[in-house]
Amino acid sequence: MNYFSLNNREHLSNFEKAVVRGLAPDKGLYFPEKIEKLPQSFFDEIQALDKTEIGFEAIKNYVGEEIPESRLKDIIAETLDFDFPVVPVEDSVSSLELFHGPTLAFKDVGARFMAGSLGYFVEKGKIEKLTVLVATSGDTGGAVASGFLGVDGIDVVILYPKGKVSEIQEKQLTTLGENVTALEVEGAFDQCQDMVKKAFLDDEIQQKRQLTSANSINVARWLPQMFYYFLAYKQLKYKGQKLVFSVPSGNFGNICAGMLAREMGLPIDHFVASNNANNVVTRYLENGKYEPRGSVQTISNAMDVGSPSNFVRVLELFENQFGNLKKYLSSYSFDDLATKMAIKEVYDTTGYTMDPHGAVGYLGLKEFLKNHPQYYGVFLETAHPVKFLDTVEEVIAQKVPVPALIEGILDKKKKAHQINNYDELKSYLLK
Ligand SMILES: *Cc1c(COP(=O)(O)O)cnc(C)c1O
């Protein structure tokens, strides 16, 4: 399979090059040249397939010959080595829980698949030693650190803003050791992000270390997110209804992977992009004007994105036809107060605890179902409520039990290097 750059269709790369580079040399996002429909027999027999078989059928064409079948299956098996339960919450409303991975974030799947793919390319000698450089506002860093831990030939360097990630998130970044280094930056997330961008453009660094990024612009992080939708479909028990998925969206990688699954024949009739106050897509669908702006801070902070990087891929899927896109995508935006009220109401009436991101997804779904009662709806729960403990416990006035996976980490000792500016990052990377 070849990938073209969304800035220039003539520029083609295979899967390996697209993964190693992240972005095309012209800074465009990579997009698969062909999207093939899966055979009807796959959907008819999906009940009988296990997670690895489903993942393999879904992604094999996008990987092509570059990873042999048996190795690809091993990577998928490791990537999906936890549960993705669909939990009924109300009549015709279920939650797809994506937070049962090692860092309790849905980003675990993309990070593990990317680590497995890059690990294979290094092992085969197709690439030299590689440094994954990433800035995090919280969840990405932990998932990437855990996904790449112990992968030979790959170093991971994570920048995070001092005092601005939760205690659990900080421990997930700073206690692993081995090939994972955490750099604690005196500043905000935007500064971490700027330093990372600058490092990618710095020839002196690039000569010394081959850098790659691990955010959802990378096809190896973006594509495996389609697994969720297939795995959910396998579990769903509904009859004669249409199917809608509501996705709490920030950079729009997750929802775009779902839409790709639909293109491949997965019978999803509609998507809802649920936004917090950062609602550039909600406004776009209302008035046809796409106007990125600076992000504002909310309680669903992993979605605080003012200029969603994957939205160009969504547009490409619909051949940049606004009318076509509107048929399959709705979008609603909710503020923090509405989000908190939803957490409380759902907890009080059903006993189900949502995190602030899942709650935005729930609200978007309910808004859509108001006018489309014939649908069966699934919202994606993208983080465990324990990761947003302060907000959730205050709203439901109950303790949220801490999973054993997390309890262990809280006693471990934090190890991070302090850096204050770009020069300090650079000298660390050149050392
Ligand atoms: C990253 C993240 C999102 C947003 O996903 P995108 O693919 O960027 O749209 C939503 N919820 C949580 C908890 C996240 O970590």
Side-chain angles (χ1 to χ4, degrees), residues 104-107 138-140 216 221 225 247-256 300-303 305 310 355 357-358 381-384 387-388:
L104 309 182
F106 86 92
K107 292 183 171 71
D139 270 357
T140 301
S216 57
R221 253 201 69 192
Q225 302 183 92
V247 186
S249 294
N251 261 323
F252 279 70
N254 193 354
I255 194 168
C256 187
S300 47
N301 57 21
M303 291 147 56
V305 179
N310 282 288
D355 97 293
H357 302 77
E381 239 308 359
T382 47
H384 193 294
K387 292 187 99 171
F388 301 90

Side-chain angles (χ1 to χ4, degrees), residues 103-105 138-139 166 168-169 172 383-389 406:
T103 74
L104 309 182
D139 270 357
S166 74
I168 289 174
Q169 287 173 330
Q172 287 177 333
H384 193 294
V386 79
K387 292 187 99 171
F388 301 90
L389 208 57
I406 290 297

Side-chain angles (χ1 to χ4, degrees), residues 123-383:
E123 191 185 302
K124 279 281 136 201
K126 295 195 175 187
I127 40 174
E128 295 265 331
K129 218 172 145 47
L130 202 63
T131 300
V132 173
L133 181 66
V134 65
T136 186
S137 59
D139 270 357
T140 301
V144 169
S146 151
F148 281 88
L149 181 68
V151 177
D152 276 342
I154 302 182
D155 287 328
V156 179
V157 178
I158 300 168
L159 279 70
Y160 73 98
K162 181 174 180 163
K164 300 207 172 58
V165 302
S166 74
E167 187 192 356
I168 289 174
Q169 287 173 330
E170 183 172 42
K171 293 276 178 163
Q172 287 177 333
L173 300 175
T174 57
T175 59
L176 293 173
E178 296 186 45
N179 59 334
V180 177
T181 306
L183 302 179
E184 185 175 16
V185 177
E186 193 70 61
F189 168 67
D190 288 344
Q191 272 131 329
C192 300
Q193 182 90 33
D194 288 346
M195 285 194 219
V196 166
K197 285 189 183 152
K198 205 164 164 186
F200 277 101
L201 299 172
D202 193 320
D203 290 336
E204 237 181 300
I205 296 175
Q206 290 283 6
Q207 273 160 23
K208 185 97 194 242
R209 282 187 186 238
Q210 186 171 5
L211 297 180
T212 191
S213 89
N215 56 32
S216 57
I217 57 162
N218 195 301
V219 294
R221 253 201 69 192
W222 169 52
L223 291 171
Q225 302 183 92
M226 71 173 133
F227 298 162
Y228 313 138
Y229 301 84
F230 290 100
L231 297 175
Y233 179 73
K234 173 183 168 175
Q235 298 172 66
L236 282 173
K237 296 194 178 58
Y238 68 105
K239 273 222 174 69
Q241 280 164 291
K242 290 183 163 189
L243 186 57
V244 55
F245 275 73
S246 172
V247 186
S249 294
N251 261 323
F252 279 70
N254 193 354
I255 194 168
C256 187
M259 295 179 130
L260 182 69
R262 194 194 71 84
E263 279 294 310
M264 294 161 65
L266 187 66
I268 299 176
D269 300 284
H270 202 81
F271 287 88
V272 177
S274 295
N275 283 163
N276 59 27
N278 297 279
N279 58 2
V280 46
V281 172
T282 307
R283 284 183 289 112
Y284 172 66
L285 289 177
E286 272 164 18
N287 63 18
K289 292 200 192 94
Y290 190 71
E291 297 169 322
R293 42 172 87 163
S295 61
V296 295
Q297 206 178 338
T298 74
I299 54 169
S300 47
N301 57 21
M303 291 147 56
D304 294 351
V305 179
S307 175
S309 43
N310 282 288
F311 198 64
V312 284
R313 284 185 171 138
V314 173
L315 291 174
E316 176 64 27
L317 269 174
F318 292 90
E319 290 156 350
N320 295 293
Q321 301 293 314
F322 184 68
N324 209 358
L325 175 65
K326 269 193 91 154
K327 254 193 268 169
Y328 294 103
L329 181 67
S330 302
S331 180
Y332 309 101
S333 145
F334 303 93
D335 64 15
D336 282 352
L337 182 61
T339 308
K340 287 184 184 175
M341 279 167 56
I343 294 173
K344 176 155 176 54
E345 200 183 306
V346 168
Y347 181 77
D348 287 346
T349 55
T350 72
Y352 190 73
T353 310
M354 302 187 295
D355 97 293
H357 302 77
V360 171
Y362 168 85
L363 282 167
L365 180 59
K366 293 292 276 193
E367 193 62 35
F368 179 80
L369 291 178
K370 260 191 214 163
N371 296 317
H372 302 85
Q374 73 277 28
Y375 276 76
Y376 187 96
V378 178
F379 66 96
L380 274 53
E381 239 308 359
T382 47

